[in-house]
Amino acid sequence: MASNSESSASGQTGQPGQEKPVAIVCIGMAGSGKTTFMQQINAYLHNKKDGAVPYVINLDPAVLNTPFESNIDIRDSVKYKEVMKEYNLGPNGGILTSLNLFATKIDQVLNLLEKRASPDPANPARKPITNILVDTPGQIEVFVWSASGTILLESLASSFPTVIAYVIDTPRTSSTSTFMSNMLYACSILYKTKLPMILVFNKTDIKDASFAKEWMTDYDAFQAALQADENGNAFGGQEGEGGGSGSGYMGSLLNSMSLMLEEFYAHLSVVSVSSHLGTGIPEFFEAVKEKAEEFKRDYQPELEKRREQREENKKKEREKELNKMMRGMSMGGTDPAVGDIEDSEEDKMETLSSDEDSDEDAAGAGDEGLQSRYGEALGSNETTAEQASFIKYIHSQK
C-alpha cells in the first residue's frame, strides 16, 4: 500500500483510478450571496445524472437557517450562543471561539471525508463523493486570519485538492474604489491561504460583470473608469479643486494598485453567476476542474514540502526532549554515582557470564542502550515534562 505522501501526490484515495474529491471553500463578505451560491452549486451537483452527490460542511455557527442540508454542521457540536454566554463574548468573538472549538475535531472530520471518498464494500451502489462544499462565516477575517481557519484549511488541503471560491457582490463593486478594495481583499486571501482561487462575480441578474472582467484585463479601460469617477467627484472631494481635493490622491493610489495587481489578475479564474437564477454554475465547475489540476501541479508539491518540514521539526523536537530527559537523569556520564553503578553492573555481568559477547551486552546496558530503549518506548509520542520528571523521580529513589 502506498504511503500517505505517495497517495496525496498521485491524487488517489487509495483505490486504483479513484480520483480524490475536490473541496470547494466558499468565502465572501456578508451580503455577497455566498450561502445562496452554496445552495445553487449543491443543487447543481445533486441534479447531475452521474449519481455522485456532494458532501456539504457548514462552518458558520451563527447562521439560523441554511437553504441546504449539511452532512457536517458546526452547530451540531458547538452551541454559538452558549459559547458567547460562557466566555462573555460578542458576536465575532463567539464565532471565532466556536471555530477554535470545532478545529479540535478536525481529525474526525477528515476521517469521515476519507471514508465517503472511498467506495463502500458493504454498499456498492453508493458512489464516492466527487465534491466537498464548505460554507464559511460571512465575517471573512474571523475565518481566514484566525488560527482555527488556518488549521481547517491546511488540514483539508493536506488530504484533498482544495479551491477557494471568493464570492463578490457585483452591484456593489461597480465603482473603481470598491472594485479595488475587493481585489485587494482577494489578493490577501490568496496569499494567506496559498490555495488556488476563483473569483465569483455574483448577482449578475442585477448587474452584468463584464465591466469587472474588462477592468482586470484592460488597463486603459480601468483608467477611463477611474477618470470618470474623479470627474464625477466619486471620492468625495471639494468642488473646484480638479475634481475634488481627495481625488488626486485616490486616483493616484488606485492607478498604482491596478498596475501592481496585473500579475495577480493573470493567475485568476473569473466567472459570472447569478445565485438567484442559477446561471453561470456550469462555467464555475469548469473553472473548479482547472483549478483542481493547478492544485495538483503547483500547490500540492509545496504542501508536501511543508508537511515534511513539520514532521522533521517534530522529530528534532522529540530527540531534543529525549536528550534533555537523559541529561536530567544523569545518564550522560557527568554524575560519578551513575558511573559507579554502570561499572558495578558491568563487573556483575562479567562474573555471571563467560561468553565473549558479555562486554557488548554490558555496553548495551549503558547510556546508549538505555537511551535507545527509551526512544523505542516513546515511539512517535511527544516526551512531556511530566514523563521526564517521573522518570527522574524513579531514578532518585534507587
Side-chain angles (χ1 to χ4, degrees):
M1 181 179 292
S3 64
N4 290 338
S5 60
E6 291 172 346
S7 177
S8 299
S10 61
Q12 306 297 317
T13 60
Q15 297 292 332
Q18 177 65 44
E19 287 289 332
K20 281 195 171 186
V22 179
I24 303 171
V25 182
C26 294
I27 297 176
M29 295 184 183
S32 62
K34 173 176 56 62
T35 301
T36 310
F37 173 71
M38 273 281 298
Q39 178 191 18
Q40 282 292 350
I41 60 177
N42 182 41
Y44 175 83
L45 292 173
H46 272 90
N47 291 332
K48 290 182 70 176
K49 304 300 183 182
D50 57 5
V53 296
Y55 201 87
V56 182
I57 302 175
N58 173 45
L59 295 181
D60 190 350
V63 66
L64 295 178
N65 298 293
T66 57
F68 50 82
E69 292 185 3
S70 301
N71 299 95
I72 297 177
D73 198 323
I74 187 175
R75 297 174 298 173
D76 294 336
S77 56
V78 182
K79 305 301 180 185
Y80 167 67
K81 290 186 178 180
E82 293 298 322
V83 169
M84 289 177 61
K85 185 185 299 183
E86 182 177 351
Y87 297 101
N88 194 26
L89 300 170
N92 286 345
I95 294 174
L96 179 58
T97 304
S98 297
L99 284 170
N100 290 340
L101 294 172
F102 186 78
T104 63
K105 303 176 182 293
I106 188 60
D107 56 332
Q108 300 175 31
V109 174
L110 291 179
N111 286 337
L112 289 172
L113 291 174
E114 291 283 359
K115 183 178 179 180
R116 287 293 286 111
S118 302
D120 185 3
N123 186 12
R126 189 188 72 177
K127 291 189 176 182
I129 57 175
T130 56
N131 290 101
I132 301 167
L133 308 182
V134 183
D135 194 17
T136 61
Q139 293 81 349
I140 297 180
E141 66 282 357
V142 171
F143 179 77
V144 176
W145 280 275
S146 67
S148 55
T150 301
I151 291 171
L152 292 166
L153 280 177
E154 288 188 352
S155 300
L156 196 62
S158 67
S159 300
F160 306 98
T162 305
V163 177
I164 300 294
Y166 181 56
V167 184
I168 299 173
D169 188 341
T170 306
R172 295 187 179 275
T173 316
S174 55
S175 70
T176 54
S177 57
T178 54
F179 170 81
M180 189 55 63
S181 297
N182 258 303
M183 294 302 103
L184 290 174
Y185 229 117
C187 183
S188 64
I189 292 172
L190 176 67
Y191 287 105
K192 178 64 174 66
T193 61
K194 299 180 178 65
L195 294 170
M197 176 183 287
I198 302 172
L199 293 188
V200 182
F201 283 94
N202 195 16
K203 304 183 182 181
T204 53
D205 54 307
I206 301 175
K207 184 175 181 60
D208 190 85
S210 56
F211 73 94
K213 294 180 180 179
E214 185 180 23
W215 288 353
M216 294 175 68
T217 56
D218 190 339
Y219 176 77
D220 293 333
F222 182 78
Q223 290 301 306
L226 180 59
Q227 186 64 45
D229 282 350
E230 287 181 338
N231 295 337
N233 200 27
F235 304 130
Q238 299 294 325
E239 293 292 342
E241 298 184 18
S245 60
S247 63
Y249 168 75
M250 284 296 294
S252 176
L253 178 63
L254 294 175
N255 180 48
S256 300
M257 288 179 178
S258 64
L259 284 171
M260 178 192 70
L261 293 177
E262 273 194 288
E263 186 68 19
F264 169 67
Y265 296 151
H267 295 86
L268 284 178
S269 293
V270 182
V271 295
S272 303
V273 304
S274 170
S275 296
H276 178 63
L277 302 177
T279 57
I281 302 300
E283 289 78 9
F284 169 75
F285 278 102
E286 285 296 324
V288 168
K289 185 177 179 180
E290 293 176 3
K291 288 300 177 180
E293 293 300 321
E294 181 181 325
F295 175 90
K296 297 173 186 177
R297 182 182 66 249
D298 300 332
Y299 289 80
Q300 198 163 43
E302 179 63 24
L303 288 173
E304 293 291 336
K305 182 179 178 181
R306 285 157 53 191
R307 185 188 305 156
E308 290 173 1
Q309 184 62 46
R310 285 196 299 268
E311 291 299 323
E312 182 66 24
N313 291 339
K314 286 182 180 179
K315 182 179 178 181
K316 289 181 180 179
E317 187 64 25
R318 285 196 297 268
E319 292 176 352
K320 180 180 177 182
E321 290 296 328
L322 180 59
N323 291 333
K324 183 178 178 181
M325 181 187 69
M326 299 304 295
R327 288 196 301 270
M329 293 175 61
S330 300
M331 296 304 297
T334 58
D335 192 337
V338 176
D340 292 339
I341 292 174
E342 292 177 344
D343 292 340
S344 64
E345 288 292 330
E346 184 175 347
D347 293 339
K348 183 178 180 181
M349 292 186 68
E350 286 179 351
T351 59
L352 291 176
S353 175
S354 60
D355 190 36
E356 294 179 354
D357 296 332
S358 60
D359 291 338
E360 295 179 5
D361 294 338
D367 296 355
E368 295 181 0
L370 181 60
Q371 183 165 351
S372 64
R373 290 198 298 274
Y374 271 121
E376 292 175 359
L378 290 172
S380 60
N381 296 327
E382 298 286 348
T383 304
T384 64
E386 292 181 359
Q387 290 173 320
S389 299
F390 177 73
I391 297 172
K392 189 175 181 180
Y393 168 77
I394 293 298
H395 176 73
S396 66
Q397 301 304 308
K398 293 182 179 180

